[in-house]
Amino acid sequence: MDRHTTLVTGATQGLGRGIALDLAARGHAVLLHGRDRARLDAVAAEVREHAPGAPVRTYLADLADLDQVRALAAEIAAAEPRLDGLVNNAVAGGGAEPLRREFSAQGHELRFAVNHLAPYALVRALLPLLTASAPARVVNVASIGQEAVDFDDVMLEDGYEGLRAYCRSKLAMIMATFELAVELEGTGVTVNALHPAHLMDTEGVRAYGLDPLVGVDEGVRPTVRLLVDPELGGTTGRYFDQYTDARAHEQAYDTGARARLMELTHRLLGLRRGSEGCARTGRSGANRVPTIQ
């Protein structure tokens, strides 16, 4: 049986590390992404010790820089013969100084850049490899914390607060999930989003000053389920609250808002709308509504 290969972003700590350990124990080839070489190598050594038979490879990139996101995708596409799964887990949380606006290398608000623009850009760049490896699954780690995107102030210049920016960026991620799922219908690539668990014991939760309520394992299990459960092989365009097929913020079902978000996203990323997945599948699909329960 061919060994599944899964890329996990933000794999050097917290949920990403837990997902990598779980997948390696199942025999997956695990591609670990991180932005710090020492931490990346340390987690790779830990995963190899935990699951000696599982191949482990590392990829270094700062997802706050879109040039590095593109370079990461190009490196993976050149080195990996297949990609069966992608977990977009890397995150910029509310921050230790939530009233201080931070920016990406391209000058975008940091949380919007890392939590929405970077994972979307990564998926689009890796679509040729994902579709060639189909069936393949993309899992976007979102959050139950969601706030409507204000298209008059997308980067939250007015009334900035880190957690608000985080909640907006996670809703943007969910909206992009729904759009991609429609676009990729029939390719064998599924795209889903989930809230893994509430207030896990992670560095981001603690940095913002919140008290963790549950361990990381509570989020690992529902995330890995979306990657490996045979019964979910055809499930796409869904938002899950852990194991429950749930309903996201109402803006996620507003096709006009989704279209505006995607037009902005493609413009910020320098992408031509419909030039990748739609071209291969022969589907436009931009205004179709995915089946969401």
Side-chain angles (χ1 to χ4, degrees):
M1 182 176 66
D2 290 340
R3 189 190 298 271
H4 282 199
T5 299
T6 304
L7 168 64
V8 182
T9 70
T12 59
Q13 61 181 317
L15 181 64
R17 170 184 166 275
I19 293 167
L21 288 167
D22 185 294
L23 291 174
R26 296 170 186 267
H28 285 228
V30 183
L31 312 181
L32 306 175
H33 156 265
R35 59 176 178 159
D36 181 278
R37 172 50 68 186
R39 291 169 67 174
L40 191 55
D41 289 344
V43 170
E46 181 184 8
V47 174
R48 290 186 181 109
E49 182 178 358
H50 178 72
V56 178
R57 294 182 285 278
T58 61
Y59 290 93
L60 183 70
D62 184 348
L63 301 190
D65 184 344
L66 290 172
D67 291 337
Q68 292 192 42
V69 174
R70 297 183 184 102
L72 170 65
E75 184 181 2
I76 291 169
E80 301 296 337
R82 63 181 302 113
L83 186 62
D84 306 275
L86 166 57
V87 184
N88 281 310
N89 164 75
V91 64
E97 300 177 66
L99 298 183
R100 180 169 66 91
R101 291 185 80 233
E102 298 175 274
F103 300 92
S104 71
Q106 285 70 35
H108 308 312
E109 191 278 316
L110 183 67
R111 281 137 193 93
F112 189 81
V114 172
N115 301 342
H116 168 59
L117 293 178
Y120 184 80
L122 186 60
V123 171
R124 293 218 73 92
L126 289 174
L127 274 179
L129 185 56
L130 286 163
T131 54
S133 306
R137 305 187 192 187
V138 176
V139 177
N140 289 327
V141 179
S143 173
I144 201 169
Q146 301 160 30
E147 178 174 313
V149 177
D150 179 356
F151 290 101
D152 292 325
D153 186 16
V154 173
M155 303 295 175
L156 201 57
E157 295 180 42
D158 183 24
Y160 183 84
E161 198 280 329
L163 187 58
R164 288 189 65 206
Y166 167 87
C167 292
R168 286 190 181 192
S169 69
K170 287 300 186 179
L171 179 56
M173 172 185 258
I174 293 168
M175 294 165 76
T177 298
F178 292 175
E179 286 289 296
L180 277 168
V182 172
E183 179 183 327
L184 296 176
E185 182 184 345
T187 66
V189 179
T190 63
V191 192
N192 293 290
L194 90 157
H195 167 64
H198 189 55
L199 293 180
M200 290 179 291
D201 189 7
T202 65
E203 182 178 303
V205 168
R206 292 190 299 273
Y208 188 74
L210 298 172
D211 294 325
L213 297 180
V214 299
V216 169
D217 284 349
E218 289 296 310
V220 169
R221 290 190 290 271
T223 307
V224 171
R225 169 179 172 259
L226 286 179
L227 282 170
V228 304
D229 189 339
E231 295 186 2
L232 297 176
T235 300
T236 193
R238 301 291 214 276
Y239 163 71
F240 288 84
D241 181 352
Q242 288 201 292
Y243 302 97
T244 304
D245 190 344
R247 191 165 179 87
H249 189 286
E250 287 303 311
Q251 192 181 46
Y253 307 97
D254 181 337
T255 56
R258 290 211 312 264
R260 291 185 70 181
L261 175 67
M262 300 320 298
E263 188 280 329
L264 171 66
T265 300
H266 280 239
R267 178 157 47 85
L268 293 176
L269 295 177
L271 296 173
R272 182 164 58 88
R273 181 66 169 150
S275 62
E276 297 179 13
C278 286
R280 283 194 306 278
T281 64
R283 301 171 183 271
S284 58
N287 294 317
R288 294 178 56 195
V289 181
T291 303
I292 309 294
Q293 301 300 322

